Amino acid sequence: QIQFVESGGGLVQPGGSLRLSCATSESMFKLDTTGWYRQAPGNQRELVATSSTSGGTIYYADFVKGRFTIARDNARNTLYLQMNSLKPEDTAVYYCNVQPPQYDYWGQGTQVSVSS
């Protein structure tokens, strides 16, 4: 069974920071590129960042470049997203999944709210 479990979200002021974590199974994490996605109310889910299994190939969406950093710890089967300089438009539920995403792998996500 494949399961992604996201955590670390919360409510922060603009300019603040959060560090998200995503834990999953060893089999999937060590074989596939994994990424962070987000979905705001009424919007489609969008790709935020991805990391290859080795961490050597990184992708960032334009709207987070210079602010977010993706990292992974293969020994702990955990993916991270360090989010700095948060903006209100970053408010969304953040999910992790493989790239390209598999429908059955979507979890509950973690809520990130940025508001003054």
Side-chain angles (χ1 to χ4, degrees):
Q1 177 177 297
I2 302 299
Q3 183 180 38
F4 289 87
V5 180
E6 303 93 344
S7 62
L11 174 63
V12 298
Q13 295 184 354
S17 298
L18 285 172
R19 184 174 176 85
L20 307 184
S21 298
C22 170
T24 189
S25 65
E26 178 181 11
S27 59
M28 182 58 61
F29 192 80
K30 293 184 177 179
L31 290 175
D32 293 274
T33 294
T34 311
W36 287 95
Y37 304 77
R38 71 185 188 186
Q39 186 171 24
N43 294 350
Q44 291 192 350
R45 204 161 354 220
E46 60 186 351
L47 180 64
V48 176
T50 63
S51 176
S52 63
T53 56
S54 67
T57 303
I58 303 295
Y59 164 82
Y60 294 105
D62 287 341
F63 53 82
V64 303
K65 285 182 178 177
R67 301 189 298 120
F68 292 8
T69 303
I70 190 171
R72 61 195 295 147
D73 185 341
N74 288 345
R76 300 180 65 180
N77 304 322
T78 303
L79 184 73
Y80 302 97
L81 185 68
Q82 178 66 48
M83 305 185 295
N84 299 324
S85 302
L86 283 162
K87 305 174 181 179
E89 51 263 44
D90 295 319
T91 296
V93 178
Y94 284 71
Y95 304 86
C96 55
N97 207 321
V98 293
Q99 173 61 34
Q102 294 291 320
Y103 175 81
D104 290 343
Y105 297 171
W106 293 117
Q108 294 297 310
T110 185
Q111 176 71 51
V112 172
S113 298
V114 185
S115 176
S116 60

